[in-house]
Amino acid sequence: MKDETLVTLAGRHPEKHAGVVSPPVYHASTILFPTLDAFENQKDLEFTYGLHGTPGTKAFEEAMNALEGAAATVIVPSGLAAVTVALLAVLKAGDHLLMVDSTYEPTRVFCDKILKRFGVETTYYDPLAGAGISLLIRDNTRAIFLESPGSRTFEMQDVPAIVAAARARRDIATIMDNTWATPLYFKPLAHGVDLSIQAISKYISGHSDLLLGTVSSNARTAERLKAARRDLGMSVGPDDVYLAMRGLRTVATRLKQHGESSLVLARWLRERPEVERVCHPALPGDPGHAIWTRDFKGTAGVFACVLKACSREQLKAFLEPMTLFKMGWSWGGFESLITHGDPNEQRTATRWEASGPTLRLQVGLEHPDDLIADLEQAFSRLNAAKRP
Ligand SMILES: *Cc1c(COP(=O)(O)O)cnc(C)c1O
């Protein structure tokens, strides 16, 4: 069965719910035990306490297991919580972590503050390291964290080469933040990664109205992952899970449109004289294009655009009055967003070369012609602000 079909079916059990198409929402802390036997043998029961799941959350886990090809999935309150639970599942004091230098910024903050405080040392590595990662592996390295393409900068990592280097040692777990591609376009577990992270807040929920994350695991890491979620007390609101499941049903169709429109815009931006370069791995000529073509099945709609040098006032003229591209965090919703930042503020192993601001564009579901018109007006304002 193709993934486009799978997302419409996974986790549904109408026969258990009076024929109703979507699994109902269970609001629960207490779940009653019918007998003393049941009370005393809770290990054998599917549902024991709201914190550990209900038929509603179980349905979403089941759907994500199917899509990720996973032995287990845990649902946590945010994408960032998915990152922290995955890391805490496999690391302990005295361990060493290899973290990709282009990772999502709050992931870095967690490593530099909390993991450090608990005695885990982090080394940041070049996203282009590939098989060269072996040179950084130490005796006490216990995890390698990947994110491809990189947050903000969109470098493609050679996931199979890094997994092979990790697999040369049995005691290293690989973790990948796969939020950009979603399991529709890249399946980390099928490529030998142990833990696959998804910020459900992005494409899968798709409507900029909820926060959730998932971590999906292969069989060898499943027990450690489930224990970490349980012991950390991570629980999620049932209504958010319901909305995430609703988003999942249409994600394949939405993502296809996000990707197609983003390529229209990326091609258009690349021809603009105000643009230094466009960073979009699905665009032929991009440095990551060969790896993207080899490993990924499709493209998401988020990419970067580096402008030529301009002042803050000029950038303000460009960004502030936009009608469709609005400034705001997150992405993956139906509406377009634009942000800017200097990736070097979040890098230590490598340097990001750019003469002007690095913009991140999240291409929404608006018609690309309207998005181009919005950008065209922004460039006119930028040029007007540049004139003496
Ligand atoms: C947004 C994002 C997260 C965090 O997701 P939240 O639900 O906002 O916490 C993690 N990783 C990546 C790559 C993201 O883009």
Side-chain angles (χ1 to χ4, degrees):
M1 192 189 291
K2 305 255 194 255
D3 282 348
E4 288 81 351
T5 312
L6 187 83
V7 295
T8 71
L9 284 177
R12 279 175 47 195
H13 299 283
E15 70 288 355
K16 290 189 188 162
H17 307 295
V20 172
V21 169
S22 295
V25 180
Y26 288 77
H27 285 269
S29 54
T30 302
I31 294 173
L32 303 174
F33 303 100
T35 62
L36 184 61
D37 272 355
F39 181 76
E40 288 176 348
N41 295 295
Q42 293 182 27
K43 285 192 311 302
D44 307 332
L45 297 176
E46 206 174 3
F47 304 110
T48 55
Y49 188 49
L51 177 61
H52 305 309
T54 66
T57 56
K58 176 110 194 210
F60 189 61
E61 284 171 11
E62 189 186 312
M64 289 304 290
N65 280 340
L67 196 56
E68 296 264 14
T73 291
V74 300
I75 317 172
V76 293
S78 66
L80 181 56
V83 169
T84 64
V85 167
L87 288 167
L88 292 172
V90 298
L91 291 169
K92 62 179 186 318
D95 287 351
H96 174 241
L97 162 69
L98 284 169
M99 171 61 65
V100 63
D101 205 26
S102 52
T103 198
Y104 175 64
E105 190 198 344
T107 298
R108 257 188 120 91
V109 173
F110 179 73
C111 296
D112 296 345
K113 288 192 174 163
I114 303 212
L115 286 185
K116 186 173 178 201
R117 185 142 54 82
F118 285 85
V120 174
E121 188 189 347
T122 302
T123 300
Y124 292 95
Y125 69 89
D126 185 343
L128 306 181
I133 193 106
S134 330
L135 301 172
L136 300 173
I137 295 178
R138 303 181 191 166
D139 285 348
N140 64 337
T141 303
R142 290 293 176 272
I144 302 178
F145 192 106
L146 305 92
E147 183 181 332
S148 182
S151 268
R152 284 168 179 253
T153 47
F154 301 91
E155 301 94 331
M156 290 297 296
Q157 292 195 255
D158 191 340
V159 178
I162 292 174
V163 167
R167 282 287 164 109
R169 280 254 309 266
R170 286 185 52 80
D171 54 358
I172 298 179
T174 46
I175 307 170
M176 179 166 175
D177 186 334
N178 188 43
T179 299
W180 187 86
T182 83
L184 288 161
Y185 292 161
F186 184 75
K187 292 193 194 294
L189 302 182
H191 285 80
V193 172
D194 296 302
L195 294 172
S196 169
I197 289 166
Q198 190 60 214
I200 299 293
S201 324
K202 306 284 169 60
Y203 285 121
I204 290 182
S205 76
H207 294 73
S208 308
D209 55 1
L210 67 87
L211 289 156
L212 279 180
T214 51
V215 191
S216 299
S217 173
N218 57 14
R220 92 166 179 154
T221 323
E223 288 314 312
R224 285 194 284 170
L225 172 66
K226 287 193 282 185
R229 189 223 52 90
R230 187 179 59 236
D231 300 342
L232 286 162
M234 295 265 182
S235 172
V236 293
D239 295 312
D240 287 344
V241 176
Y242 181 85
L243 287 173
M245 185 72 115
R246 179 187 271 220
L248 185 72
R249 302 298 178 214
T250 58
V251 67
T253 313
R254 287 185 286 107
L255 195 53
K256 193 160 170 274
Q257 188 61 53
H258 284 293
E260 276 173 20
S261 299
S262 81
L263 279 173
V264 172
L265 266 68
R267 286 204 178 89
W268 183 83
L269 282 165
R270 194 157 65 169
E271 302 305 320
R272 291 292 308 195
E274 304 86 347
V275 169
E276 185 172 275
R277 66 183 191 277
V278 171
C279 313
H280 191 320
L283 202 59
D286 185 272
H289 189 64
I291 290 185
W292 177 82
T293 309
R294 185 191 68 189
D295 294 345
F296 282 41
K297 270 180 63 184
T299 179
V302 186
F303 65 99
C305 173
V306 181
L307 297 181
K308 290 184 180 157
C310 68
S311 68
R312 188 172 175 286
E313 278 311 304
Q314 290 155 0
L315 184 65
K316 193 174 152 87
F318 181 96
L319 287 175
E320 267 186 7
M322 293 191 86
T323 30
L324 297 175
F325 280 98
K326 293 294 183 187
M327 286 181 279
W329 293 124
S330 206
W331 42 264
F334 52 84
E335 85 293 13
S336 290
L337 294 169
I338 191 162
T339 55
H340 87 95
D342 178 4
N344 284 320
E345 285 168 12
Q346 280 98 43
R347 286 185 169 228
T348 47
T350 51
R351 248 199 90 70
W352 179 246
E353 297 303 336
S355 51
T358 301
L359 305 175
R360 185 181 73 192
L361 287 89
Q362 124 83 9
V363 178
L365 298 175
E366 306 90 343
H367 196 287
D369 290 352
D370 292 327
L371 294 173
I372 286 177
D374 202 23
L375 287 167
E376 197 148 36
Q377 286 168 20
F379 281 123
S380 302
R381 289 191 303 269
L382 177 74
N383 291 326
K386 275 184 174 171
R387 267 175 233 126

